[in-house]
Amino acid sequence: MKHSTKNGLTRREFLWVTSASAAGLLLGCAINPVTGRSQLMLVSEDQEIELDRQNSPHQFSTDYGLLQDRVLNNYINTTGKKISTLTHRPQMPYSFQGVNAAYVNAYAFPGGSIAATRGILVELKNEAELAALLGHEIGHVNARHTAEQMSKGVLTNALIGGIATVAGTQSSGLGSLASQLGMIGADALLAHYSRDNEREADSLGLEYMVKAGYNPNGFVGLMDMLRSTSKHKPNAIELMFSTHPMSDERYRTAVQSVQTQYRQAQNLPLYQERYMDNTVKLRSMKGAIEDMQKGESAMGGEKYDEAETYFKKALKQAPEDYAGLVMMAKCLTVREKYSEAAGFVGKAKQVYPQEAQAHYLAGFVNIKEKKYDSAYEDFNAYEKILPGNPNIKFYQGLSLEGMKRVPESANKYYEYIKIVNQGEKAKYAYQRLVEWGYAK
Ligand SMILES: [Zn+2]
């Protein structure tokens, strides 16, 4: 959906920005009280919260859902809340959770929904490092970096139109796995920050974690871990660095701040034991998580044979792991081994029925197997859990078409092209409508 207007904004953004100003919410250039820096700001706090609410659930699902390990999830949330109440924007509706993804990453949506992957949680050594990680993300929320990137027009497709624009863009190419399966790309909804944003988030994160009573060496430990991971597992950490630009400078700055400004705070605790206690289950999965990382990296390189071997290894260690099961099912789907894929995705639905992604994949596999009734049920189940993904309309239409329920199918295709008007799927849907006499 790239209707360029003369000022370079897409039409959707243009409408969005102008409607924001019409509502009297256009704030323009103002000094940010948190950073003391002049910031172009076209997004109100209510809009930040709304964008978060619309987008974050889709990202969590792309990352294989929230951790089912309640102990660990509560622990992450408690740790985050301890910090967020002491920040410049304590009123934001913060939430802190772990997500099942295996790659190394953490991110924040503009309303304060913050998540860390299993891949990064398993690398942390103490609670102070977790506090540093969450503090950094809280720093992005406080300095309003997502809203700033949006105001500058840097953040284009994602966030602004909900996921509709993203889905539209993704469906136009059939090359990548994400678009082949009709899913949202792993980083499509995430904000990409500037290096200055990173410096600010680091400085705020450090300030907040120390205020909350943590040893600032946790921040140095985090930076050190990220640096070394980038050398040992460059593929697993790629996304983290594309969303949070990393440099040796960030590590050096952290070391220097701890030795000067936060010198006195170095006798504060790191809480290593508490972190270890709360991550017992997670750490027992480390081998499986690393095999999933290798499998995903092989998938990225289109080495599907190799990927399948890694996913098999991961599932041998953790046979009930939702993410592992879905990854294996995706790999088999790409290899067109649909009936095998159906087995894994069926099990994934069983172990984590509340998570949406497996229902989507199951529907996709069922369409390939021409089991249209089951496919239709799967897509309905997905939409009930996670509304707002326009691709579902298309696949519901396709399922109904397979079931020879033409008027209902036409309805879904029509709903789809109302939201997404370019790409292979839109073309297909439109052609059907023409064929059936609903459009000309
Ligand atoms: Zn960052």
Side-chain angles (χ1 to χ4, degrees), residues 235-262:
N235 293 323
I237 203 164
E238 203 179 336
L239 196 59
M240 170 119 197
F241 293 157
S242 78
T243 54
H244 301 275
M246 183 65 191
S247 59
D248 281 346
E249 178 220 288
R250 285 179 62 194
Y251 170 78
R252 288 196 304 271
T253 306
V255 171
Q256 205 187 13
S257 304
V258 171
Q259 284 168 354
T260 55
Q261 199 180 350
Y262 297 107

PDB file of all heavy atoms in Angstrom, residues 235-262:
ATOM      1  N   ASN A 235      23.552 -14.941  13.604  1.00  0.00           N
ATOM      2  CA  ASN A 235      22.212 -15.059  13.035  1.00  0.00           C
ATOM      3  C   ASN A 235      21.113 -14.919  14.075  1.00  0.00           C
ATOM      4  O   ASN A 235      20.073 -14.332  13.825  1.00  0.00           O
ATOM      5  CB  ASN A 235      22.037 -16.395  12.318  1.00  0.00           C
ATOM      6  CG  ASN A 235      22.914 -16.476  11.091  1.00  0.00           C
ATOM      7  OD1 ASN A 235      23.100 -15.485  10.397  1.00  0.00           O
ATOM      8  ND2 ASN A 235      23.486 -17.643  10.852  1.00  0.00           N
ATOM      9  N   ALA A 236      21.384 -15.483  15.253  1.00  0.00           N
ATOM     10  CA  ALA A 236      20.356 -15.484  16.296  1.00  0.00           C
ATOM     11  C   ALA A 236      20.095 -14.087  16.845  1.00  0.00           C
ATOM     12  O   ALA A 236      19.037 -13.822  17.395  1.00  0.00           O
ATOM     13  CB  ALA A 236      20.760 -16.422  17.433  1.00  0.00           C
ATOM     14  N   ILE A 237      21.072 -13.201  16.682  1.00  0.00           N
ATOM     15  CA  ILE A 237      20.954 -11.888  17.321  1.00  0.00           C
ATOM     16  C   ILE A 237      20.739 -10.748  16.312  1.00  0.00           C
ATOM     17  O   ILE A 237      20.539  -9.599  16.677  1.00  0.00           O
ATOM     18  CB  ILE A 237      22.202 -11.623  18.205  1.00  0.00           C
ATOM     19  CG1 ILE A 237      21.876 -10.584  19.288  1.00  0.00           C
ATOM     20  CG2 ILE A 237      23.414 -11.237  17.374  1.00  0.00           C
ATOM     21  CD1 ILE A 237      22.867 -10.552  20.408  1.00  0.00           C
ATOM     22  N   GLU A 238      20.718 -11.116  15.052  1.00  0.00           N
ATOM     23  CA  GLU A 238      20.597 -10.141  13.959  1.00  0.00           C
ATOM     24  C   GLU A 238      19.436  -9.157  14.146  1.00  0.00           C
ATOM     25  O   GLU A 238      19.594  -7.948  14.010  1.00  0.00           O
ATOM     26  CB  GLU A 238      20.362 -10.936  12.680  1.00  0.00           C
ATOM     27  CG  GLU A 238      20.738 -10.244  11.418  1.00  0.00           C
ATOM     28  CD  GLU A 238      20.480 -11.169  10.230  1.00  0.00           C
ATOM     29  OE1 GLU A 238      20.461 -12.405  10.405  1.00  0.00           O
ATOM     30  OE2 GLU A 238      20.272 -10.645   9.159  1.00  0.00           O
ATOM     31  N   LEU A 239      18.281  -9.709  14.497  1.00  0.00           N
ATOM     32  CA  LEU A 239      17.087  -8.884  14.605  1.00  0.00           C
ATOM     33  C   LEU A 239      17.211  -7.873  15.744  1.00  0.00           C
ATOM     34  O   LEU A 239      16.777  -6.733  15.628  1.00  0.00           O
ATOM     35  CB  LEU A 239      15.878  -9.789  14.837  1.00  0.00           C
ATOM     36  CG  LEU A 239      14.512  -9.163  14.596  1.00  0.00           C
ATOM     37  CD1 LEU A 239      14.393  -8.659  13.171  1.00  0.00           C
ATOM     38  CD2 LEU A 239      13.434 -10.195  14.876  1.00  0.00           C
ATOM     39  N   MET A 240      17.835  -8.310  16.842  1.00  0.00           N
ATOM     40  CA  MET A 240      18.027  -7.406  17.975  1.00  0.00           C
ATOM     41  C   MET A 240      18.832  -6.185  17.536  1.00  0.00           C
ATOM     42  O   MET A 240      18.519  -5.064  17.898  1.00  0.00           O
ATOM     43  CB  MET A 240      18.772  -8.138  19.086  1.00  0.00           C
ATOM     44  CG  MET A 240      19.228  -7.230  20.199  1.00  0.00           C
ATOM     45  SD  MET A 240      18.478  -7.691  21.753  1.00  0.00           S
ATOM     46  CE  MET A 240      18.738  -6.242  22.730  1.00  0.00           C
ATOM     47  N   PHE A 241      19.865  -6.428  16.731  1.00  0.00           N
ATOM     48  CA  PHE A 241      20.727  -5.315  16.328  1.00  0.00           C
ATOM     49  C   PHE A 241      20.125  -4.486  15.203  1.00  0.00           C
ATOM     50  O   PHE A 241      20.515  -3.344  14.999  1.00  0.00           O
ATOM     51  CB  PHE A 241      22.115  -5.825  15.952  1.00  0.00           C
ATOM     52  CG  PHE A 241      22.858  -6.383  17.127  1.00  0.00           C
ATOM     53  CD1 PHE A 241      23.887  -7.283  16.969  1.00  0.00           C
ATOM     54  CD2 PHE A 241      22.513  -5.997  18.420  1.00  0.00           C
ATOM     55  CE1 PHE A 241      24.561  -7.808  18.065  1.00  0.00           C
ATOM     56  CE2 PHE A 241      23.172  -6.512  19.522  1.00  0.00           C
ATOM     57  CZ  PHE A 241      24.200  -7.417  19.348  1.00  0.00           C
ATOM     58  N   SER A 242      19.179  -5.069  14.472  1.00  0.00           N
ATOM     59  CA  SER A 242      18.540  -4.240  13.446  1.00  0.00           C
ATOM     60  C   SER A 242      17.497  -3.338  14.101  1.00  0.00           C
ATOM     61  O   SER A 242      17.219  -2.250  13.618  1.00  0.00           O
ATOM     62  CB  SER A 242      17.940  -5.085  12.326  1.00  0.00           C
ATOM     63  OG  SER A 242      16.724  -5.652  12.726  1.00  0.00           O
ATOM     64  N   THR A 243      16.920  -3.776  15.220  1.00  0.00           N
ATOM     65  CA  THR A 243      15.953  -2.920  15.915  1.00  0.00           C
ATOM     66  C   THR A 243      16.637  -2.044  16.972  1.00  0.00           C
ATOM     67  O   THR A 243      16.189  -0.945  17.252  1.00  0.00           O
ATOM     68  CB  THR A 243      14.826  -3.751  16.574  1.00  0.00           C
ATOM     69  OG1 THR A 243      15.406  -4.750  17.410  1.00  0.00           O
ATOM     70  CG2 THR A 243      13.964  -4.433  15.541  1.00  0.00           C
ATOM     71  N   HIS A 244      17.702  -2.548  17.571  1.00  0.00           N
ATOM     72  CA  HIS A 244      18.483  -1.769  18.548  1.00  0.00           C
ATOM     73  C   HIS A 244      19.934  -1.704  18.074  1.00  0.00           C
ATOM     74  O   HIS A 244      20.716  -2.601  18.396  1.00  0.00           O
ATOM     75  CB  HIS A 244      18.494  -2.440  19.925  1.00  0.00           C
ATOM     76  CG  HIS A 244      17.148  -2.655  20.533  1.00  0.00           C
ATOM     77  ND1 HIS A 244      16.492  -1.694  21.247  1.00  0.00           N
ATOM     78  CD2 HIS A 244      16.346  -3.732  20.551  1.00  0.00           C
ATOM     79  CE1 HIS A 244      15.337  -2.176  21.680  1.00  0.00           C
ATOM     80  NE2 HIS A 244      15.228  -3.417  21.263  1.00  0.00           N
ATOM     81  N   PRO A 245      20.291  -0.693  17.309  1.00  0.00           N
ATOM     82  CA  PRO A 245      21.671  -0.630  16.800  1.00  0.00           C
ATOM     83  C   PRO A 245      22.700  -0.780  17.926  1.00  0.00           C
ATOM     84  O   PRO A 245      22.594  -0.154  18.972  1.00  0.00           O
ATOM     85  CB  PRO A 245      21.751   0.768  16.183  1.00  0.00           C
ATOM     86  CG  PRO A 245      20.351   1.140  15.876  1.00  0.00           C
ATOM     87  CD  PRO A 245      19.487   0.446  16.883  1.00  0.00           C
ATOM     88  N   MET A 246      23.655  -1.654  17.713  1.00  0.00           N
ATOM     89  CA  MET A 246      24.635  -1.983  18.752  1.00  0.00           C
ATOM     90  C   MET A 246      25.993  -1.469  18.312  1.00  0.00           C
ATOM     91  O   MET A 246      26.294  -1.385  17.135  1.00  0.00           O
ATOM     92  CB  MET A 246      24.679  -3.497  18.905  1.00  0.00           C
ATOM     93  CG  MET A 246      25.592  -4.022  19.986  1.00  0.00           C
ATOM     94  SD  MET A 246      25.035  -3.539  21.627  1.00  0.00           S
ATOM     95  CE  MET A 246      26.429  -4.004  22.624  1.00  0.00           C
ATOM     96  N   SER A 247      26.810  -1.119  19.289  1.00  0.00           N
ATOM     97  CA  SER A 247      28.171  -0.754  18.947  1.00  0.00           C
ATOM     98  C   SER A 247      29.033  -0.990  20.176  1.00  0.00           C
ATOM     99  O   SER A 247      28.529  -1.069  21.288  1.00  0.00           O
ATOM    100  CB  SER A 247      28.236   0.718  18.550  1.00  0.00           C
ATOM    101  OG  SER A 247      27.769   1.500  19.632  1.00  0.00           O
ATOM    102  N   ASP A 248      30.341  -1.098  19.950  1.00  0.00           N
ATOM    103  CA  ASP A 248      31.261  -1.231  21.077  1.00  0.00           C
ATOM    104  C   ASP A 248      31.185   0.008  21.949  1.00  0.00           C
ATOM    105  O   ASP A 248      31.406  -0.042  23.149  1.00  0.00           O
ATOM    106  CB  ASP A 248      32.692  -1.436  20.568  1.00  0.00           C
ATOM    107  CG  ASP A 248      32.910  -2.872  20.121  1.00  0.00           C
ATOM    108  OD1 ASP A 248      32.048  -3.722  20.463  1.00  0.00           O
ATOM    109  OD2 ASP A 248      33.910  -3.145  19.438  1.00  0.00           O
ATOM    110  N   GLU A 249      30.828   1.121  21.304  1.00  0.00           N
ATOM    111  CA  GLU A 249      30.718   2.377  22.051  1.00  0.00           C
ATOM    112  C   GLU A 249      29.702   2.254  23.187  1.00  0.00           C
ATOM    113  O   GLU A 249      29.913   2.791  24.271  1.00  0.00           O
ATOM    114  CB  GLU A 249      30.305   3.495  21.086  1.00  0.00           C
ATOM    115  CG  GLU A 249      30.108   4.843  21.739  1.00  0.00           C
ATOM    116  CD  GLU A 249      28.917   5.584  21.170  1.00  0.00           C
ATOM    117  OE1 GLU A 249      29.006   6.049  20.033  1.00  0.00           O
ATOM    118  OE2 GLU A 249      27.897   5.697  21.874  1.00  0.00           O
ATOM    119  N   ARG A 250      28.618   1.541  22.942  1.00  0.00           N
ATOM    120  CA  ARG A 250      27.594   1.393  23.985  1.00  0.00           C
ATOM    121  C   ARG A 250      28.164   0.654  25.192  1.00  0.00           C
ATOM    122  O   ARG A 250      27.867   0.995  26.330  1.00  0.00           O
ATOM    123  CB  ARG A 250      26.373   0.650  23.442  1.00  0.00           C
ATOM    124  CG  ARG A 250      25.510   1.494  22.533  1.00  0.00           C
ATOM    125  CD  ARG A 250      24.329   0.696  22.002  1.00  0.00           C
ATOM    126  NE  ARG A 250      23.432   0.244  23.064  1.00  0.00           N
ATOM    127  CZ  ARG A 250      22.487  -0.684  22.897  1.00  0.00           C
ATOM    128  NH1 ARG A 250      22.310  -1.249  21.722  1.00  0.00           N
ATOM    129  NH2 ARG A 250      21.728  -1.040  23.906  1.00  0.00           N
ATOM    130  N   TYR A 251      28.962  -0.343  24.914  1.00  0.00           N
ATOM    131  CA  TYR A 251      29.606  -1.085  26.010  1.00  0.00           C
ATOM    132  C   TYR A 251      30.562  -0.177  26.780  1.00  0.00           C
ATOM    133  O   TYR A 251      30.520  -0.105  28.004  1.00  0.00           O
ATOM    134  CB  TYR A 251      30.346  -2.302  25.433  1.00  0.00           C
ATOM    135  CG  TYR A 251      31.239  -2.995  26.444  1.00  0.00           C
ATOM    136  CD1 TYR A 251      30.695  -3.849  27.407  1.00  0.00           C
ATOM    137  CD2 TYR A 251      32.613  -2.788  26.437  1.00  0.00           C
ATOM    138  CE1 TYR A 251      31.506  -4.480  28.331  1.00  0.00           C
ATOM    139  CE2 TYR A 251      33.433  -3.415  27.366  1.00  0.00           C
ATOM    140  CZ  TYR A 251      32.868  -4.253  28.318  1.00  0.00           C
ATOM    141  OH  TYR A 251      33.680  -4.861  29.234  1.00  0.00           O
ATOM    142  N   ARG A 252      31.402   0.551  26.032  1.00  0.00           N
ATOM    143  CA  ARG A 252      32.392   1.428  26.682  1.00  0.00           C
ATOM    144  C   ARG A 252      31.712   2.512  27.518  1.00  0.00           C
ATOM    145  O   ARG A 252      32.142   2.835  28.615  1.00  0.00           O
ATOM    146  CB  ARG A 252      33.311   2.053  25.629  1.00  0.00           C
ATOM    147  CG  ARG A 252      34.306   1.069  25.021  1.00  0.00           C
ATOM    148  CD  ARG A 252      35.427   1.809  24.286  1.00  0.00           C
ATOM    149  NE  ARG A 252      34.916   2.711  23.256  1.00  0.00           N
ATOM    150  CZ  ARG A 252      34.696   2.361  21.987  1.00  0.00           C
ATOM    151  NH1 ARG A 252      34.950   1.127  21.581  1.00  0.00           N
ATOM    152  NH2 ARG A 252      34.239   3.236  21.123  1.00  0.00           N
ATOM    153  N   THR A 253      30.619   3.080  26.975  1.00  0.00           N
ATOM    154  CA  THR A 253      29.890   4.114  27.713  1.00  0.00           C
ATOM    155  C   THR A 253      29.337   3.553  29.017  1.00  0.00           C
ATOM    156  O   THR A 253      29.398   4.210  30.062  1.00  0.00           O
ATOM    157  CB  THR A 253      28.722   4.662  26.862  1.00  0.00           C
ATOM    158  OG1 THR A 253      29.246   5.082  25.606  1.00  0.00           O
ATOM    159  CG2 THR A 253      28.038   5.841  27.527  1.00  0.00           C
ATOM    160  N   ALA A 254      28.808   2.322  28.946  1.00  0.00           N
ATOM    161  CA  ALA A 254      28.263   1.703  30.158  1.00  0.00           C
ATOM    162  C   ALA A 254      29.369   1.527  31.203  1.00  0.00           C
ATOM    163  O   ALA A 254      29.189   1.867  32.381  1.00  0.00           O
ATOM    164  CB  ALA A 254      27.625   0.358  29.816  1.00  0.00           C
ATOM    165  N   VAL A 255      30.519   1.016  30.774  1.00  0.00           N
ATOM    166  CA  VAL A 255      31.640   0.807  31.700  1.00  0.00           C
ATOM    167  C   VAL A 255      32.023   2.128  32.352  1.00  0.00           C
ATOM    168  O   VAL A 255      32.180   2.225  33.575  1.00  0.00           O
ATOM    169  CB  VAL A 255      32.864   0.198  30.961  1.00  0.00           C
ATOM    170  CG1 VAL A 255      34.092   0.186  31.859  1.00  0.00           C
ATOM    171  CG2 VAL A 255      32.543  -1.207  30.464  1.00  0.00           C
ATOM    172  N   GLN A 256      32.109   3.173  31.516  1.00  0.00           N
ATOM    173  CA  GLN A 256      32.524   4.476  32.019  1.00  0.00           C
ATOM    174  C   GLN A 256      31.502   5.054  33.010  1.00  0.00           C
ATOM    175  O   GLN A 256      31.872   5.581  34.058  1.00  0.00           O
ATOM    176  CB  GLN A 256      32.724   5.425  30.840  1.00  0.00           C
ATOM    177  CG  GLN A 256      33.678   6.536  31.164  1.00  0.00           C
ATOM    178  CD  GLN A 256      33.715   7.556  30.033  1.00  0.00           C
ATOM    179  OE1 GLN A 256      32.863   7.555  29.143  1.00  0.00           O
ATOM    180  NE2 GLN A 256      34.705   8.422  30.082  1.00  0.00           N
ATOM    181  N   SER A 257      30.222   4.930  32.693  1.00  0.00           N
ATOM    182  CA  SER A 257      29.183   5.462  33.587  1.00  0.00           C
ATOM    183  C   SER A 257      29.237   4.763  34.936  1.00  0.00           C
ATOM    184  O   SER A 257      29.039   5.395  35.979  1.00  0.00           O
ATOM    185  CB  SER A 257      27.793   5.240  32.997  1.00  0.00           C
ATOM    186  OG  SER A 257      27.702   5.796  31.724  1.00  0.00           O
ATOM    187  N   VAL A 258      29.464   3.454  34.903  1.00  0.00           N
ATOM    188  CA  VAL A 258      29.505   2.704  36.158  1.00  0.00           C
ATOM    189  C   VAL A 258      30.712   3.129  36.991  1.00  0.00           C
ATOM    190  O   VAL A 258      30.623   3.228  38.214  1.00  0.00           O
ATOM    191  CB  VAL A 258      29.527   1.180  35.871  1.00  0.00           C
ATOM    192  CG1 VAL A 258      29.792   0.388  37.144  1.00  0.00           C
ATOM    193  CG2 VAL A 258      28.208   0.748  35.252  1.00  0.00           C
ATOM    194  N   GLN A 259      31.818   3.429  36.319  1.00  0.00           N
ATOM    195  CA  GLN A 259      33.026   3.815  37.068  1.00  0.00           C
ATOM    196  C   GLN A 259      32.980   5.250  37.593  1.00  0.00           C
ATOM    197  O   GLN A 259      33.708   5.589  38.514  1.00  0.00           O
ATOM    198  CB  GLN A 259      34.262   3.639  36.188  1.00  0.00           C
ATOM    199  CG  GLN A 259      34.652   2.178  36.039  1.00  0.00           C
ATOM    200  CD  GLN A 259      35.674   1.967  34.954  1.00  0.00           C
ATOM    201  OE1 GLN A 259      36.029   2.900  34.223  1.00  0.00           O
ATOM    202  NE2 GLN A 259      36.154   0.740  34.821  1.00  0.00           N
ATOM    203  N   THR A 260      32.125   6.074  36.995  1.00  0.00           N
ATOM    204  CA  THR A 260      32.065   7.468  37.432  1.00  0.00           C
ATOM    205  C   THR A 260      30.750   7.781  38.149  1.00  0.00           C
ATOM    206  O   THR A 260      30.646   7.665  39.355  1.00  0.00           O
ATOM    207  CB  THR A 260      32.268   8.415  36.240  1.00  0.00           C
ATOM    208  OG1 THR A 260      31.311   8.089  35.223  1.00  0.00           O
ATOM    209  CG2 THR A 260      33.670   8.283  35.665  1.00  0.00           C
ATOM    210  N   GLN A 261      29.730   8.064  37.344  1.00  0.00           N
ATOM    211  CA  GLN A 261      28.431   8.493  37.858  1.00  0.00           C
ATOM    212  C   GLN A 261      27.823   7.504  38.870  1.00  0.00           C
ATOM    213  O   GLN A 261      27.198   7.909  39.842  1.00  0.00           O
ATOM    214  CB  GLN A 261      27.481   8.647  36.656  1.00  0.00           C
ATOM    215  CG  GLN A 261      26.260   9.479  36.916  1.00  0.00           C
ATOM    216  CD  GLN A 261      25.396   9.551  35.644  1.00  0.00           C
ATOM    217  OE1 GLN A 261      25.813   9.135  34.557  1.00  0.00           O
ATOM    218  NE2 GLN A 261      24.205  10.103  35.776  1.00  0.00           N
ATOM    219  N   TYR A 262      27.965   6.211  38.593  1.00  0.00           N
ATOM    220  CA  TYR A 262      27.295   5.202  39.428  1.00  0.00           C
ATOM    221  C   TYR A 262      28.277   4.406  40.284  1.00  0.00           C
ATOM    222  O   TYR A 262      28.003   3.293  40.684  1.00  0.00           O
ATOM    223  CB  TYR A 262      26.447   4.269  38.541  1.00  0.00           C
ATOM    224  CG  TYR A 262      25.344   4.996  37.820  1.00  0.00           C
ATOM    225  CD1 TYR A 262      25.425   5.243  36.445  1.00  0.00           C
ATOM    226  CD2 TYR A 262      24.228   5.454  38.511  1.00  0.00           C
ATOM    227  CE1 TYR A 262      24.409   5.929  35.782  1.00  0.00           C
ATOM    228  CE2 TYR A 262      23.215   6.143  37.857  1.00  0.00           C
ATOM    229  CZ  TYR A 262      23.310   6.378  36.485  1.00  0.00           C
ATOM    230  OH  TYR A 262      22.304   7.054  35.845  1.00  0.00           O
TER     231      TYR A 262
END
